[in-house]
Amino acid sequence: EGYFINTTGGAFEMDLPAGNIGDEVSFVDYAGTFDSNALTIDQNGTEKILGSTDPLVYTDSTQGWLLKNK
């Protein structure tokens, strides 16, 4: 599934959908504002992101997506 995310109005948080093996999710920075108004991606319930329960957050064009609490 793909999601167009518009953060021009401020930071935004999104929960991932429930996953099945082989599922893919993509996020499009609709207005190019993730570096000034971050998108934070949280796991769905007890599912993990990269083996962690920490959310992902877009930091900038140099580092991109990082685990928020690492």
Side-chain angles (χ1 to χ4, degrees):
E1 289 192 44
Y3 299 92
F4 291 96
I5 308 294
N6 185 349
T7 62
T8 56
F12 188 80
E13 187 172 305
M14 181 176 181
D15 292 336
L16 288 172
N20 292 302
I21 293 176
D23 284 355
E24 294 183 15
V25 177
S26 60
F27 302 94
V28 176
D29 187 359
Y30 177 80
T33 55
F34 282 1
D35 58 347
S36 58
N37 295 315
L39 169 64
T40 299
I41 301 172
D42 283 327
Q43 78 278 5
N44 181 302
T46 60
E47 294 182 18
K48 297 177 181 174
I49 299 171
L50 299 170
S52 173
T53 57
D54 292 338
L56 293 176
V57 64
Y58 185 84
T59 57
D60 57 30
S61 59
T62 302
Q63 293 294 316
W65 295 94
L66 297 174
L67 288 171
K68 188 172 183 179
N69 297 322
K70 296 290 178 190

